[in-house]
Amino acid sequence: MEIARSAAALFMRNGLRATRAEDIARAAGIAPRTFYRYFASKEEALGPLFAAGAQKWAEAVRDAPADLSVPEALRHAVKQTLTPGVGVRRESLEWVRSLIRLAETSPALLRVWGEACQTGERTLARVLTVRVSGGEGRAEPDVSAASAPAEPDVSAASAPAPIAVSPELRFGAAVASAAVRVAVEAWAAGDAAADGPEGPAELALRHLGALRDFPWNAA
């Protein structure tokens, strides 16, 4: 994440084209070879920052009060993660706006953004599966990037049982994720205030209305 923050700062200050992977490594205080242990390109260095937002939303859905329905949990999570002063700083949202605008200028960076969104969608599908089932017989999915081990433990005894996600819940998670992604992208493309009626939270809430009649409990 420190490398990702260094990359973002340099991209914002010097531009994507003028920034080299070696510049990012120097700013992060690491050797270039260390940089390439984590990332194949300078654009991929933004992956952790892009992924953090999707992970935070999935965490908020997971941690929403148990008595909320799935649509209510989704709306609760949007308010908790996209409302300035609630779960995110206004300055952080402006960084998001700048980075998404930058991604729109680079196919390589746009691919990194898309991959982060797709990973977040899969995580949300697992979170929703546990929530719809009431958590019976299932471990709560850990969506924190910081919780990932430095070296994967591939022993069968330590591997958690996979969460089976139905096609219906995969679809629901995809639509919910798209509702939030498009809201953030649309807001980033304009100049509307983050806390106004055209801010990312309000846009996402309106988009989530498309899922109002989705049969979550039957999925």
Side-chain angles (χ1 to χ4, degrees):
M1 186 61 78
E2 289 301 322
I3 299 172
R5 292 192 183 102
S6 296
L10 287 175
F11 290 158
M12 292 296 98
R13 185 171 70 229
N14 302 329
L16 182 62
R17 185 184 298 272
T19 301
R20 304 172 303 164
E22 291 76 10
D23 299 326
I24 299 171
R26 186 181 306 111
I30 60 174
R33 69 183 179 206
T34 303
F35 175 92
Y36 285 113
R37 283 177 54 195
Y38 290 98
F39 308 108
S41 67
K42 63 183 182 181
E43 290 86 0
E44 286 189 10
L46 285 189
L49 281 177
F50 285 151
Q55 290 168 345
K56 188 174 182 181
W57 186 49
E59 288 176 350
V61 174
R62 181 196 63 190
D63 298 336
D67 61 341
L68 296 184
S69 65
V70 170
E72 290 169 341
L74 293 172
R75 292 173 62 85
H76 171 85
V78 163
K79 294 174 183 177
Q80 290 296 311
T81 56
L82 290 178
T83 304
V86 176
V88 63
R89 295 184 304 165
R90 191 180 305 274
E91 295 80 5
S92 296
L93 283 175
E94 290 303 328
W95 265 86
V96 169
R97 169 179 261 164
S98 297
L99 292 177
I100 291 179
R101 284 180 173 179
L102 183 64
E104 293 289 348
T105 70
S106 165
L109 196 52
L110 194 59
R111 183 169 59 251
V112 175
W113 166 246
E115 289 172 353
C117 292
Q118 188 175 57
T119 298
E121 174 189 313
R122 291 171 179 166
T123 300
L124 180 64
R126 295 196 298 273
V127 167
L128 293 178
T129 297
V130 173
R131 190 172 189 93
V132 168
S133 69
E136 297 178 1
R138 303 173 186 270
E140 288 289 331
D142 190 342
V143 297
S144 171
S147 68
E151 296 293 336
D153 186 346
V154 295
S155 64
S158 64
I163 296 175
V165 181
S166 70
E168 291 79 10
L169 272 180
R170 286 187 61 185
F171 172 73
V175 176
S177 296
V180 176
R181 174 183 57 79
V182 171
V184 173
E185 290 175 345
W187 170 75
D191 298 313
D195 55 358
E198 299 303 316
E202 290 300 321
L203 287 175
L205 291 173
R206 295 206 296 269
H207 292 175
L208 284 173
L211 285 172
R212 186 177 298 110
D213 298 324
F214 186 80
W216 294 104
N217 292 332

